[in-house]
Every structure is written in C-alpha cells, then in structure tokens.
Amino acid sequence: MREFTLSKEELWDGMKEELQEFLRERNDDDKKNQKNKKAKLQKVTEAENAKRSRPGTAKSADTTKSGESGTSTSSKKKGKRRKRQQTELKEKIKEKKKELVELLEQLRKMKEDEAGDCPRVDATENRPQADEDAPQMAATAQTLSYVLNGRAGKFTKDLRVVTLGDLEEGLLHLDEDKQNSKAEATRKKTNLKPVNYGATSCWIPAGAAVIGKSDLTKLNQKAEIVKKLDSFFSSN
C-alpha cells in the first residue's frame, strides 16, 4: 500500500485553470462562428450584386418573384435549423454548468469537513523515558503480539519466560496460497519498519504505510472528484 497525498491547493488551482481554459475556448468558438457567418453573408451579397450588374441576365417578373420566394423559404429553413442548434448548444452548456456546480459543492463540503477535524496528536511524542524506574513485570498473564520471520503471532501467558517454541506455537494461520517455500522465502527477506499510529506502534513492511480509515475515505473521495473533473473537461 503506497502513501498518497493530494494537495488541496493544487486541486483548486488546477480546477480554476481548466475552467478558465474551457470558458476561453467557448468565447473563441463563438467569435469564430460569428466571423464565419458574416463572411458567408458578405460573399452571398457580393455574388447577388455581381449577377444583377451583369448584362443580359435580367429575368422576367415571374421568374424574379419565384426566385425570391425560394430564397425566402430556404432562409426560413436555415433560420429554424440555426435556432434548433442554438437551443441544443444552450442545453448542453446548461448541463455542463450543473455538473460543475455539483463538483464545486462536493469540494466545498470536503473542505469544510477537513477544517472541522481536530488535528491528531501523537501520544508517543515527548514521552518520558523511564525504563530504569519502571516497576518489575508482575507474574500475571499478558498478551504478546509479534512478527517472526514475516509471520504475525499472538499469545497470552506469563511473559517473564518466553521460549522460541512459544513464539512458533503462537503464529497465526496462513492462507493456503501462502503456505509454500516461495512465499516463505519472500517473508524472510522482507524488511520491516516501526511506525506509529496514534498512541500505538507496530511493525510493517518497509514498502507499506499506515493510514486511518477516515483519511483513506477522504483521499478516495478527492480522487473520485479529480476523475470527474478530468472527464468533464475531456468531454469538451
């Protein structure tokens, strides 16, 4: 299990940059569309003027009226199609805004939750070392949890005298797929490191880390929001 840390500042900055880029692209597309429409309209107007100015191209009144009627019908169809496209585009933008508002609301709630959490205090810090003044271990049963050759063990007894046989008998049961020579060799060569979790310390593999369930849940929530943001901006 790898240790994963997500910077809130990087998350917010990245989201703002993506949103600004998204809005700039929308504005650029609108400007380009307007320019293209103006250019096309100007070309059509120039072509019509050129036809009217040419000699020998005059048409009868009936033909002219028929052409004007066809042009009017075509213009109406184009206008309806343009309105429909604009309506669809507005609906898509509205949906995207709604998704973005939901993601921002989730981030705001997570930020409020983190601000309300109390900082964890390591109870092992500044603990006085009093080994010499510690009382002698009483002759009562105590629980011993340990790691022997990469295997976890645990037993309860009088710990004033502990033998290797006691440690071997206290080893916990392994799964069937871990009961082989290859797995045993891997366990023996795995390096362990001590870690603190609150007031408790334990041994774990050097390549692993300890994290609380609540912290892991928050990290998973943040990762899910980042995936949604990436999907949101990638879809455009």
Side-chain angles (χ1 to χ4, degrees), residues 2-93:
R2 297 184 302 173
E3 185 176 1
F4 177 71
T5 303
L6 183 62
S7 172
K8 293 181 285 185
E9 290 76 9
E10 291 180 356
L11 178 62
W12 281 103
D13 292 342
M15 185 193 66
K16 289 179 181 177
E17 291 177 359
E18 291 288 349
L19 180 58
Q20 291 174 354
E21 183 64 23
F22 171 73
L23 294 176
R24 282 197 297 269
E25 289 178 357
R26 286 290 184 191
N27 293 332
D28 292 341
D29 291 340
D30 292 340
K31 291 179 179 179
K32 289 179 180 178
N33 291 334
Q34 291 178 359
K35 289 182 179 180
N36 292 334
K37 290 178 181 178
K38 289 181 179 179
K40 288 181 180 179
L41 182 59
Q42 186 175 0
K43 287 182 179 179
V44 171
T45 304
E46 291 176 353
E48 290 180 354
N49 293 334
K51 286 181 180 179
R52 291 173 183 173
S53 62
R54 290 176 186 173
T57 57
K59 298 182 180 178
S60 65
D62 294 338
T63 305
T64 304
K65 289 181 180 179
S66 177
E68 290 177 354
S69 177
T71 304
S72 176
T73 304
S74 177
S75 299
K76 288 181 180 180
K77 289 182 179 179
K78 289 181 179 179
K80 290 181 180 180
R81 189 184 304 112
R82 189 180 300 110
K83 282 186 178 180
R84 185 170 63 253
Q85 291 175 349
Q86 290 177 352
T87 302
E88 292 176 355
L89 181 60
K90 288 180 180 179
E91 290 295 329
K92 289 182 180 180
I93 293 175

Side-chain angles (χ1 to χ4, degrees), residues 1-3 147 150 186-195 202-210:
M1 182 171 55
R2 297 184 302 173
E3 185 176 1
V147 178
T186 301
R187 286 193 295 270
K188 287 183 178 180
K189 67 181 182 181
T190 299
N191 295 325
L192 303 179
K193 67 177 181 180
V195 295
C202 58
W203 291 95
I204 64 171
V210 175

Side-chain angles (χ1 to χ4, degrees), residues 76-214:
K76 288 181 180 180
K77 289 182 179 179
K78 289 181 179 179
K80 290 181 180 180
R81 189 184 304 112
R82 189 180 300 110
K83 282 186 178 180
R84 185 170 63 253
Q85 291 175 349
Q86 290 177 352
T87 302
E88 292 176 355
L89 181 60
K90 288 180 180 179
E91 290 295 329
K92 289 182 180 180
I93 293 175
K94 188 176 180 180
E95 291 177 1
K96 292 297 183 181
K97 285 182 178 179
K98 185 178 179 181
E99 292 179 11
L100 186 59
V101 169
E102 291 177 355
L103 291 173
L104 291 173
E105 182 65 17
Q106 292 181 19
L107 285 172
R108 184 186 63 80
K109 289 182 179 180
M110 290 177 60
K111 195 171 183 180
E112 289 178 354
D113 294 341
E114 291 179 356
D117 292 342
C118 296
R120 179 179 295 170
V121 178
D122 190 353
T124 61
E125 292 183 357
N126 300 325
R127 184 173 59 187
Q129 300 295 327
D131 295 338
E132 296 180 358
D133 299 333
Q136 296 295 324
M137 186 180 297
T140 56
Q142 291 181 304
T143 299
L144 176 65
S145 300
Y146 57 94
V147 178
L148 179 63
N149 292 331
R151 290 184 58 182
K154 181 179 180 181
F155 62 80
T156 302
K157 60 169 291 184
D158 181 5
L159 299 181
R160 289 182 298 177
V161 178
V162 178
T163 65
L164 180 59
D166 295 332
L167 297 176
E168 292 176 346
E169 290 178 2
L171 293 176
L172 302 181
H173 179 70
L174 291 173
D175 295 335
E176 292 184 1
D177 59 336
K178 301 296 188 298
Q179 298 179 11
N180 53 64
S181 58
K182 183 177 180 180
E184 184 177 359
T186 301
R187 286 193 295 270
K188 287 183 178 180
K189 67 181 182 181
T190 299
N191 295 325
L192 303 179
K193 67 177 181 180
V195 295
N196 293 330
Y197 182 74
T200 304
S201 60
C202 58
W203 291 95
I204 64 171
V210 175
I211 185 172
K213 286 185 177 180
S214 60

